[in-house]
């Protein structure tokens, strides 16, 4: 079923857990003698896949996204043959703009939430009812914070 955040919108605990969960894998890959191409495949296939799974349940801010990039993605850059201080703005650009096509958690989180909303709102599932009731509750309480 996945992980759903509490309705306060505070992601601090989840962001710290993401970084701690991956720190052992990151340090192991950095200290290994693996080929750069294999490290890149491990980054996209393992690290990013495990972060992407939970994205629909987070309301990540740009600051939290930058924290994930700096603590989880940046340590891989040197192992992949990329200069460590490579600008993050360029790293997230697509290949055809001479970027690295590194996923941006802030943008990917928004896309994942929209897809979840579209896929579940026309159905009679537990997830669709949860989303509907949460939106109704926020509307009644007139929550002034970002929903998606």
């Amino acid at each position: 079923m996945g992980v759903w955040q509490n309705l306060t919108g505070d992601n601090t605990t989840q962001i710290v857990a993401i970084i701690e969960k991956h720190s052992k894998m990151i340090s192991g890959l950095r200290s290994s003698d693996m080929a750069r191409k294999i490290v890149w495949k491990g980054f996209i296939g393992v690290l990013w896949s495990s972060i992407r799974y939970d994205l629909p349940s987070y309301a990540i801010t740009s600051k939290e996204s930058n924290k994930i990039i700096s603590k989880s993605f940046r340590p891989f850059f040197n192992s992949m043959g990329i200069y460590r201080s490579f600008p993050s703005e360029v790293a997230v650009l697509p290949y055809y703009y001479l970027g690295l096509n590194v996923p941006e958690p802030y943008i990917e989180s928004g896309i994942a939430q929209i897809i979840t909303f579209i896929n579940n709102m026309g159905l009679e599932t537990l997830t669709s009812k949860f989303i509907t009731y949460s939106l109704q509750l926020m509307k009644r309480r007139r929550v002034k914070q970002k929903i998606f």
Side-chain angles (χ1 to χ4, degrees), residues 84-131:
R84 186 175 172 96
S85 63
F86 194 80
S88 297
E89 294 81 15
V90 178
V92 297
L93 288 176
Y95 297 125
Y96 49 86
Y97 289 126
L98 301 177
L100 299 176
N101 206 26
V102 172
E104 169 71 58
Y106 178 64
I107 294 170
E108 297 290 331
S109 175
I111 292 170
Q113 290 172 356
I114 292 169
I115 290 171
T116 301
F117 187 78
I118 290 171
N119 288 341
N120 289 297
M121 286 315 291
L123 304 174
E124 288 294 323
T125 63
L126 183 62
T127 303
S128 68
K129 289 178 183 178
F130 176 76
I131 292 172

